[in-house]
Amino acid sequence: MLRDLVVQNRSYRRFDQTQEIDLRLLEQLVELCRFCPSGRNLQPLKFMIINTPELCSKVFPNLAWAGYLKDWEGPEEGERPSAYIVILEDQRLATASQWDQGIMAQTILLGAVEQGLGGCIIASVKKENLQKLLNIPDYLKVSLVLALGKPIEKIVIDDIEDSGSVIYWRDSEQVHHVPKRKLSELIWRG
């Protein structure tokens, strides 16, 4: 059921790094994007798949993890993603594809959840460094990075309390809590 996939699709940031992800599965996740809507049907996004430990270790330092967790610098060795999909915007086709980016990223992550994986959409990226590191031509701009792997953390959805705080946090058991607005707050009744 779609609702189950959406609820399971959290921003996972800790993975079993020993669980490799097959290139063919990653290609199948990217193929889902072929069937997604695209603004003006321009389809300007390209996808770079990274699933070798060597390249993953080079991508990792170019990403920022969980800005609200000030005392956490990101996953430790052994808990890092097993693969990344770098979403690139082909500047020859479009220069404002942020809606496409969101649609494609969510679609890939829903496909990953269906396969027993999890991931995180990362927008806080050292884009210029990554561009050079991965030998990406100038006309392709790094938009987002999807970190993927077999999740090893528990994530709980909580209703936002009266304070209205949207800040996610971890408890003493390292359970990751994500506050979400109630349905009654989402629907505008005028």
Side-chain angles (χ1 to χ4, degrees):
M1 177 178 253
L2 179 59
R3 184 184 193 283
D4 296 333
L5 289 176
V6 171
V7 170
Q8 288 175 340
N9 181 28
R10 308 298 352 126
S11 291
Y12 294 102
R13 295 177 179 89
R14 293 174 33 228
F15 307 93
D16 178 350
Q17 196 171 342
T18 64
Q19 295 288 313
E20 295 180 8
I21 305 175
D22 183 68
L23 178 61
R24 183 67 193 127
L25 174 58
L26 293 164
E27 289 172 344
Q28 289 170 354
L29 294 176
V30 170
E31 185 180 28
L32 294 171
C33 297
R34 289 185 55 231
F35 311 110
C36 290
S38 173
R40 297 182 300 163
N41 201 35
L42 292 176
Q43 305 167 61
L45 301 182
K46 309 291 186 231
F47 304 85
M48 184 172 192
I49 297 172
I50 296 165
N51 73 331
T52 65
E54 298 78 29
L55 267 181
C56 285
S57 69
K58 291 179 179 179
V59 169
F60 180 80
N62 289 286
L63 309 174
W65 296 85
Y68 286 146
L69 303 178
K70 300 297 182 198
D71 59 343
W72 189 67
E73 294 180 12
E76 298 175 9
E77 188 65 42
E79 296 184 345
R80 294 180 179 167
S82 301
Y84 296 98
I85 296 176
V86 181
I87 300 179
L88 305 165
E89 181 182 67
D90 189 332
Q91 302 283 288
R92 300 170 303 179
L93 301 173
T95 58
S97 66
Q98 59 270 36
W99 296 277
D100 286 20
Q101 295 167 30
I103 292 167
M104 306 301 166
Q106 176 76 337
T107 298
I108 289 171
L109 291 180
L110 288 171
V113 168
E114 186 178 48
Q115 296 297 317
L117 301 172
C120 186
I121 301 170
I122 303 174
S124 185
V125 177
K126 295 176 185 170
K127 294 178 179 181
E128 291 172 9
N129 288 357
L130 204 55
Q131 190 105 14
K132 290 176 189 168
L133 173 75
L134 298 175
N135 244 359
I136 298 169
D138 288 341
Y139 65 87
L140 295 174
K141 296 297 181 195
V142 174
S143 297
L144 299 170
V145 175
L146 305 181
L148 298 162
K150 182 77 174 167
I152 60 169
E153 67 181 329
K154 181 177 181 181
I155 299 178
V156 175
I157 297 173
D158 298 321
D159 286 341
I160 289 181
E161 299 296 323
D162 293 337
S163 69
S165 176
V166 296
I167 297 175
Y168 49 79
W169 54 282
R170 291 205 174 129
D171 65 23
S172 60
E173 304 295 318
Q174 293 305 302
V175 173
H176 191 87
H177 293 262
V178 181
K180 294 290 184 181
R181 298 187 194 287
K182 297 174 187 170
L183 179 61
S184 61
E185 291 183 60
L186 300 182
I187 298 174
W188 177 252
R189 302 202 187 270

